[in-house]
Amino acid sequence: MRAGPSQEEIRRHNLGALLRHVHLGGPTSRAELTSRMGLNRSTIMALTADLTAAGLVREELPRETGRAGRPSLVVRPESARVYVFAFDVGVDRLVAARVGLGGAILDRRETVRRRGPFSLEEIVGPLAGFARQMRRKTRPDTVCVGVAAAFSGGVDRGNGVVRFGPNMGPAEDVPFAEEMNRRLAFGMPVKVGNDANLAALAEHSRGVGVGCRDLIYLHGDVGVGGGIIVNGQLLGGHAGFGGEIGHMVVNPKGRLCGCGSLGCLEAEVGERTLLEAAGRVPGAVSVAAGPGAVSVTAGPGAVSVAAGPGTDGRETPGSGADGRRERLIGRDAVRAVVDAADRGDIVAQAALSRVGDWLGLGVANLVNIFNPEMVIFGGMLREVYLGSAAQVRSRLAVDALSASREGLRLRTSALGDDATLMGAAELAFAQVLADPLEALARAGS
């Protein structure tokens, strides 16, 4: 029979739990920590003293209490001193940031990334350069306690190898973590996770999903990814490839997906599908009907897709001088379609209706399987949902079991475009939050 935890193990657990409270919840009084952690005041005082001595937190008098008697000291994370490096490898952008304990972004660099097939150097070179720039600007008394990256692709959690990236060209078995370790040489391993999985964790821990034990996060970039939180834990699967929601087939006779299948969710609701349906890709002239959606096709009496966002052919912002719409890509293009729909463009409205219908079908499937308390739309799907909420809810009402959708909340990401970056930061902080003093000792060695 295994013996119970030792006093030292209990202490280390409590140190991590207290630091996590302050990291995620911000400045917190000793009295609040006593209540939240279920420990007595003397234990909280001893724990905060240890963390203060290590330079992880500081204690100070509250600014205002409004109460009589001796005020409880407030415990604050040492955000300026303790930090991690977080990277976000998106389809069309690269982001590097220095994030302080508590979640404050202290420094940041970003560059545009070319879409399509890539070499490892195209990604690692700029990110490593950004990290070295930011590190040179830090004070001598600061300490880096972790490095992590969110990658738009399937990541083997055991070795940080990117196994597939169907929306970014032939990105099979790319040793991203190994190369980042070699280029950075910071003396600590670079952790890598799927971007949507990490965004789900970020929304769960410090975003709109705080307090939800069961949620699903849907992330749109070029394609669609997802993260599933079950009973407070990320559902990662056997090798870490869980949550590939975008490759759930919703239309077996539908569009060809980048993975080779027909009718995957991302093929029916992804960026290109929306832009084609809205007539914003050269050669695209129609909106194909979703399940039960209205069809808008080219032909006699059809709406011209060469006209500006209005229906009378007048030039409007975002249109060229010859009446053709400006060709945007990425989230700017998706936002332009949503804006056009808001202004009354019936082609944009029909495109959003079609995509929203398929999105609702996909969400209904997920609701029936996982019975989440909340579904969060992030990345470009944030804009898609805001422009097609009625269609999504209508499809849910038809295809989701009433018991499964009871109490369901549909929300958009609170962390916005930084959800994946903050997810990478949380992955980097994981070790110091699990065992603060040991992780700090390793980082300083």
Side-chain angles (χ1 to χ4, degrees):
M1 185 172 67
R2 185 180 182 278
S6 66
Q7 288 298 113
E8 178 58 22
E9 288 173 326
I10 293 172
R11 172 177 168 273
R12 289 162 69 173
H13 168 79
N14 287 337
L15 284 168
L18 193 154
L19 188 61
R20 179 175 291 275
H21 276 292
V22 176
H23 171 65
L24 295 176
T28 310
S29 71
R30 280 189 191 175
E32 288 177 285
L33 290 169
T34 299
S35 174
R36 292 179 189 177
M37 296 180 63
L39 301 174
N40 60 46
R41 287 181 294 177
S42 60
T43 300
I44 292 294
M45 183 171 65
L47 294 172
T48 55
D50 286 344
L51 294 174
T52 300
L56 290 163
V57 302
R58 69 180 186 274
E59 292 186 290
E60 55 188 40
L61 289 171
R63 292 182 176 88
E64 292 183 10
T65 64
R67 297 180 181 179
R70 184 178 179 181
S72 178
L73 291 176
V74 172
V75 184
R76 295 178 180 273
E78 283 284 13
S79 301
R81 180 179 182 273
V82 181
Y83 68 90
V84 299
F85 282 112
F87 306 108
D88 182 16
V89 182
V91 172
D92 47 21
R93 70 171 190 167
L94 299 173
V95 185
R98 192 166 66 88
V99 183
L101 189 65
I105 296 179
L106 307 173
D107 200 353
R108 179 189 184 113
R109 303 284 190 280
E110 183 169 343
T111 189
V112 174
R113 180 184 171 212
R114 178 179 61 83
R115 288 189 174 192
F118 63 92
S119 70
L120 196 51
E121 174 60 28
E122 289 179 82
I123 298 174
V124 173
L127 294 178
F130 288 157
R132 286 193 292 270
Q133 289 173 17
M134 291 186 286
R135 197 176 202 190
R136 284 195 293 267
K137 291 177 62 179
T138 60
R139 302 193 318 257
D141 64 335
T142 60
V143 58
C144 176
V145 295
V147 185
F151 203 107
S152 182
V155 180
D156 188 322
R157 65 184 174 194
N159 55 19
V161 170
V162 180
R163 297 292 302 277
F164 57 87
N167 294 308
M168 300 185 298
E172 296 187 3
D173 291 354
V174 175
F176 175 70
E178 178 184 337
E179 186 61 16
M180 282 294 289
N181 276 318
R182 187 184 72 81
R183 293 291 292 273
L184 290 175
F186 283 175
M188 58 187 66
V190 176
K191 299 179 180 179
V192 186
N194 170 264
D195 58 347
N197 277 193
L198 294 181
L201 287 172
E203 290 290 348
H204 176 250
S205 61
R206 59 169 66 252
V208 71
V210 169
C212 289
R213 300 289 294 172
D214 298 272
L215 65 81
I216 295 174
Y217 172 86
L218 287 167
H219 185 80
D221 210 334
V222 167
V224 173
I228 302 167
I229 305 289
V230 177
N231 195 28
Q233 300 295 317
L234 179 69
L235 189 64
H238 172 64
F241 302 122
E244 286 294 335
I245 291 168
H247 297 291
M248 170 178 59
V249 175
V250 293
N251 183 13
K253 296 181 180 180
R255 295 168 61 92
L256 179 65
C257 181
C259 72
S261 295
L262 293 176
C264 289
L265 181 63
E266 76 171 42
E268 302 296 342
V269 307
E271 174 194 313
R272 184 172 180 85
T273 300
L274 177 65
L275 299 184
E276 285 182 355
R280 292 172 183 251
V281 174
V285 294
S286 66
V287 176
V294 177
S295 176
V296 180
T297 58
V303 177
S304 169
V305 298
T311 58
D312 57 2
R314 292 176 299 178
E315 185 175 336
T316 59
S319 303
D322 59 357
R324 290 174 298 180
R325 294 188 179 94
E326 180 184 354
R327 301 301 180 188
L328 300 172
I329 61 171
R331 295 179 193 180
D332 288 340
V334 172
R335 288 168 183 144
V337 173
V338 176
D339 289 344
D342 288 341
R343 294 194 303 270
D345 181 341
I346 63 173
V347 177
Q349 289 172 347
L352 279 169
S353 179
R354 179 238 187 251
V355 167
D357 212 27
W358 285 117
L359 180 59
L361 180 61
V363 172
N365 288 340
L366 295 169
V367 168
N368 287 338
I369 296 169
F370 294 104
N371 185 212
E373 179 183 351
M374 181 181 292
V375 174
I376 304 169
F377 300 92
M380 72 93 178
L381 284 183
R382 180 182 186 277
E383 279 67 40
V384 170
Y385 172 70
L386 290 174
S388 63
Q391 285 72 31
V392 173
R393 291 182 179 277
S394 294
R395 182 54 56 186
L396 275 170
V398 172
D399 292 329
L401 294 169
S402 59
S404 296
R405 69 173 186 268
E406 188 175 324
L408 175 68
R409 291 178 285 166
L410 304 181
R411 297 289 185 269
T412 56
S413 168
L415 300 175
D417 290 347
D418 282 340
T420 48
L421 181 70
M422 295 309 297
E426 292 306 319
L427 179 61
F429 276 120
Q431 193 59 48
V432 77
L433 296 178
D435 192 348
L437 303 187
E438 176 63 23
L440 195 64
R442 285 200 300 268
S445 61

